[in-house]
Amino acid sequence: MPKSKRAKIVHLTKAKKKGRQRGDALIEEIRDSVDEFSNIFLFEVENMRNAALKDLRIQWKDSRFFIGRNKLMIVALGKDEEDEFRTGLSELANRVSGNCGLLFSNRDAKEVCRYFKDYKVPQFAKSGCSAPRKYTLSPRVLEGLPVSMEPQLRALGLPVRIKTGKLEIAVETTVCQEGAKLTPEQCKILEMFEEKMVNFRVKILGCYSEEKYTHFGGVSSDTKSSMRED
């Protein structure tokens, strides 16, 4: 029988009562998932978006995702051999850091890795993100935009004018240069013109199965993008 320490209760004594109760409940959910699913995948997220993650959960409704609560995930799994909930889980727990999460699934590793290898969902960039490419607006009439938006667009730095009752961009303008950090104003312009600069992606870093963790390569990092949306 796989080694389990379900009888051992871990309380988060430093948290407030309600927070502790939520934390204990999450730990129990994770441990229930350890019992329910045959495989646990460690993954890393790039350009986290709640809506994209929600859609992913719907697509993978036969599996479970836990993300954004690293300390609680580590407690649930067990950070060393003495505390690990099941044999070998401490090795997985020690890999939990940065922008990562846990995917519990009965799908095999080949299927999971194949699915996420090419998985990406275009998203609007956020302030501070490096622009992956140059984006330029040519002179044009801004169909669908009322002339009352002229002051707002000028405040964003766009050279707009009103001509024959229509709002238009007067001269060609570069919104952003490749590799430059995007400002809040640039991000608003890109979204206004429906230019999605980044992709929501999930990278599989490793898999725990049959009481053994196998690392596929790569390390989770705090530097790519925040796990929480602003």
Side-chain angles (χ1 to χ4, degrees):
M1 292 288 290
K3 183 180 70 174
S4 175
K5 297 186 178 181
R6 181 167 294 279
K8 184 173 181 178
I9 304 299
V10 178
H11 292 291
L12 308 178
T13 56
K14 293 184 180 180
K16 293 181 179 180
K17 186 176 180 180
K18 289 185 178 179
R20 183 173 68 244
Q21 290 173 345
R22 288 194 294 267
D24 288 344
L26 180 59
I27 289 171
E28 194 65 17
E29 284 185 53
I30 292 173
R31 290 179 172 176
D32 285 341
S33 296
V34 173
D35 290 336
E36 181 180 354
F37 297 96
S38 58
N39 299 316
I40 310 172
F41 298 91
L42 178 67
F43 66 87
E44 184 176 52
V45 172
E46 294 181 12
N47 301 302
M48 174 65 182
R49 300 292 186 273
N50 289 334
L53 180 61
K54 181 179 179 181
D55 290 340
L56 189 59
R57 282 190 164 117
I58 293 173
Q59 295 169 30
W60 284 67
K61 59 184 178 181
D62 61 343
S63 304
R64 288 208 66 179
F65 289 86
F66 293 92
I67 190 169
R69 303 294 298 276
N70 290 0
K71 291 183 179 179
L72 294 180
M73 289 191 289
I74 291 171
V75 170
L77 300 174
K79 61 182 179 180
D80 52 43
E81 290 185 4
E82 182 180 350
D83 293 331
E84 63 187 8
F85 180 66
R86 182 168 293 169
T87 302
L89 277 178
S90 60
E91 187 175 352
L92 168 58
N94 288 323
R95 295 279 187 173
V96 175
S97 66
N99 300 339
C100 71
L102 300 174
L103 166 61
F104 290 81
S105 181
N106 288 324
R107 305 192 195 190
D108 63 39
K110 287 184 178 180
E111 178 184 355
V112 173
C113 291
R114 184 168 56 248
Y115 181 90
F116 286 107
K117 180 181 179 182
D118 299 316
Y119 179 82
K120 60 182 179 180
V121 182
Q123 303 290 336
F124 293 115
K126 291 190 173 184
S127 176
C129 173
S130 295
R133 59 186 176 274
K134 180 180 179 180
Y135 183 69
T136 301
L137 289 172
S138 58
R140 71 181 77 173
V141 173
L142 300 176
E143 300 289 353
L145 294 184
V147 294
S148 61
M149 288 190 66
E150 182 192 19
Q152 179 183 342
L153 296 177
R154 284 189 175 276
L156 293 175
L158 289 178
V160 294
R161 66 186 178 189
I162 298 174
K163 187 175 182 180
T164 61
K166 292 185 178 182
L167 190 61
E168 65 177 28
I169 296 176
V171 296
E172 182 174 280
T173 182
T174 298
V175 177
C176 62
Q177 295 284 357
E178 181 179 354
K181 295 289 185 180
L182 293 172
T183 65
E185 292 76 18
Q186 289 171 323
C187 290
K188 288 179 181 179
I189 294 171
L190 291 171
E191 186 167 355
M192 184 178 297
F193 288 92
E194 299 185 351
E195 182 67 18
K196 296 182 177 181
M197 282 269 179
V198 300
N199 291 305
F200 169 81
R201 298 182 66 97
V202 173
K203 180 181 179 181
I204 302 299
L205 300 178
C207 176
Y208 172 86
S209 183
E210 297 180 351
E211 302 187 355
K212 181 181 178 181
Y213 175 73
T214 301
H215 197 64
F216 300 150
V219 292
S220 53
S221 169
D222 289 310
T223 61
K224 289 185 178 179
S225 57
S226 174
M227 291 297 297
R228 296 181 180 179
E229 292 197 68
D230 298 333

